[in-house]
């Protein structure tokens, strides 16, 4: 027998996690870690599902209906590391009797910070400026050099105003004096909307028409797939910017490229992509686009908090209590 104490549930952790989290997971579970941090193949995910009581996956693990069909299924819970779980076919998981949990709350502030950072970067041409200095091309200050777009006082349009959307609204309204408008099929109470200084719009289209900056904060679902397509991009002001820290497939990336190339919008700032880690090659050539490698929750503090939240869900499940963040 391994160092594992008898009776401890077995757990496959699909990617490397912060050391503090791995230590705790190893204390509580018969944990199989991934020190090489190589993403698991479908066959390796299936091997995990047939050999471990629990799985702790991330966004890089495509737990499709086909993968989840594996026999004999030993795993009872998918304790996802992350709030978004569109890489898991939840209907298939449910059909197989699997419990699925996520890690909300703990990454709200960091992801909101990421959206605000992207808004500022694209408006103030920060990426361009950085590239300019690093290339040794800077010849000195001049009044007309790299002029960007003012953010303070502008209109921010949020598509989705859940936890992260609200945190962005708070920063934008109280920090930058922005007028915040939003559309959400499930809007918060009028008191919450008032506290955010936000204004509800009846449709996505109204938000797109009026906003100077559009920031996406919807979950990736069949309903939000390509929500921002060519026709919706055409509604945006030519001076407006699109920011995406949610999920890549909410935007039709090819349509976004076409809109940017035609100058139909002023720019885009993207933390997520339709086919990660692939990025549409044209985006790499456009100066008015900011590109980050899915960094929304990427701080030491938050990645530890996410791991501990997944651990909390696992412990609850195996002690027979309802996990706090059950989504299925
Ligand atoms: C994670 C995220 O880094 O939580 C999410 O939904 O997109 C990111 O914070 C990623 O999903 C980890 O699995």
């Amino acid at each position: 027998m391994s160092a594992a104490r008898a009776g401890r549930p077995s757990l496959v952790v699909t990617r490397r996690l912060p050391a503090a989290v791995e230590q705790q997971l190893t204390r509580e579970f018969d944990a199989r870690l991934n020190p090489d941090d190589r993403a698991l193949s479908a066959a390796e995910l299936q091997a995990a599902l047939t050999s471990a009581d629990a799985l702790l996956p991330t966004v890089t693990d495509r737990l499709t209906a086909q993968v989840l069909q594996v026999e004999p299924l030993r795993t009872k819970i998918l304790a996802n590391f992350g709030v978004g779980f569109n890489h898991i076919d939840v209907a298939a998981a449910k059909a197989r009797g699997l419990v699925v949990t996520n890690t909300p709350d703990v990454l709200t502030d960091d992801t909101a910070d990421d959206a605000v950072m992207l808004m500022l970067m694209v408006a103030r041409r920060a990426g361009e400026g950085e590239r300019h200095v690093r290339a040794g091309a800077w010849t000195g200050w001049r009044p007309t050099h790299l002029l960007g777009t003012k953010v303070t006082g502008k209109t921010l349009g949020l598509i989705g105003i859940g936890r992260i959307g609200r945190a962005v609204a708070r920063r934008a309204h109280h920090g930058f004096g922005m007028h915040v408008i939003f559309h959400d099929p499930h809007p918060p109470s009028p008191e919450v909307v008032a506290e955010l200084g936000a204004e509800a719009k009846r449709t996505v289209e109204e938000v797109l028409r009026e906003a100077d900056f559009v920031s996406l904060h919807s979950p990736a679902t069949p309903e939000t797939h390509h929500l921002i397509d060519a026709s919706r991009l055409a509604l945006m002001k030519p001076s407006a910017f699109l920011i995406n820290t949610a999920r890549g497939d909410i935007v039709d990336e090819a349509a976004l490229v076409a809109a940017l190339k035609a100058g139909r919008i002023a720019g885009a700032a993207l933390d997520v992509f339709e086919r990660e880690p692939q990025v549409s090659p044209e985006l790499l050539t456009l100066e008015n686009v900011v590109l980050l490698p899915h960094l929304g929750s990427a701080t030491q503090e938050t990645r530890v908090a996410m791991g501990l939240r997944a651990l909390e869900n696992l412990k609850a499940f195996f002690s027979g209590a309802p996990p706090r963040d059950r989504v299925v």
Side-chain angles (χ1 to χ4, degrees), residues 298-313:
T299 67
Q300 284 288 349
E301 296 90 332
T302 292
R303 289 286 162 82
V304 170
M306 289 162 69
L308 297 182
R309 187 79 170 231
L311 171 64
E312 187 186 326
N313 286 317

Side-chain angles (χ1 to χ4, degrees), residues 12-272:
V12 168
V13 182
T14 68
R15 301 305 298 262
R16 245 185 92 187
L17 298 180
V21 177
E22 290 190 341
Q23 277 158 21
Q24 288 241 37
L25 287 169
T26 310
R27 259 200 297 277
E28 305 279 350
F29 291 90
D30 179 9
R32 231 179 293 155
L33 305 178
N34 182 356
D36 299 332
D37 202 21
R38 191 178 49 78
L40 302 191
S41 65
E44 287 167 327
L45 286 171
Q46 288 193 318
L49 290 163
T50 54
S51 64
D53 300 315
L55 204 64
L56 194 158
T58 76
V59 71
T60 57
D61 302 306
R62 287 179 38 76
L63 290 157
T64 61
Q66 206 190 348
V67 168
L68 294 171
Q69 250 163 33
V70 70
E71 292 291 354
L73 180 66
R74 173 165 172 177
T75 297
K76 303 275 181 295
I77 175 169
L78 307 175
N80 187 52
F81 181 88
V83 67
F85 49 86
N86 60 311
H87 51 287
I88 302 173
D89 186 325
V90 288
K94 190 173 179 182
R96 300 242 46 199
L98 281 158
V99 167
V100 181
T101 60
N102 68 346
T103 62
D105 308 323
V106 290
L107 47 69
T108 300
D109 285 326
D110 280 0
T111 310
D113 292 349
D114 189 46
V116 171
M117 174 171 72
L118 284 172
M119 175 171 69
L120 291 169
M121 281 182 78
V122 73
R124 299 300 301 272
R125 304 175 64 181
E128 282 180 79
E130 242 253 335
R131 287 191 288 278
H132 189 69
V133 173
R134 284 182 186 273
W138 190 31
T139 55
W141 185 89
R142 50 201 191 276
T144 55
H145 187 215
L146 273 178
L147 302 188
T149 300
K150 186 170 176 128
V151 169
T152 297
K154 294 287 175 65
T155 297
L156 171 64
L158 303 175
I159 309 297
I161 196 154
R163 286 175 291 256
I164 297 169
R166 287 177 217 182
V168 172
R170 230 170 264 124
R171 284 158 173 72
H173 175 68
H174 296 290
F176 296 92
M178 295 182 90
H179 174 48
V180 179
I181 59 175
F182 71 91
H183 174 74
D184 194 307
H186 310 288
S189 69
E191 294 75 36
V192 170
V193 175
E195 186 265 327
L196 297 170
E199 185 193 339
K201 297 286 175 183
R202 276 189 315 106
T203 62
V204 170
E205 285 74 13
E206 280 178 68
V207 174
L208 296 176
R209 274 192 202 97
E210 293 175 33
D212 300 306
F213 297 88
V214 173
S215 190
L216 307 178
H217 300 286
S218 314
T221 63
E223 293 74 40
T224 62
H225 180 79
H226 284 191
L227 179 77
I228 304 299
D229 58 8
S231 63
R232 292 218 170 92
L233 286 164
L235 300 175
M236 288 174 64
K237 298 181 190 181
S239 56
F241 297 88
L242 181 71
I243 295 138
N244 191 4
T245 54
R247 279 293 181 270
D249 61 3
I250 299 175
V251 178
D252 178 343
E253 203 166 288
L256 175 62
V257 167
L260 288 163
K261 283 170 96 172
R264 279 194 289 275
I265 64 171
L270 310 172
D271 192 50
V272 288

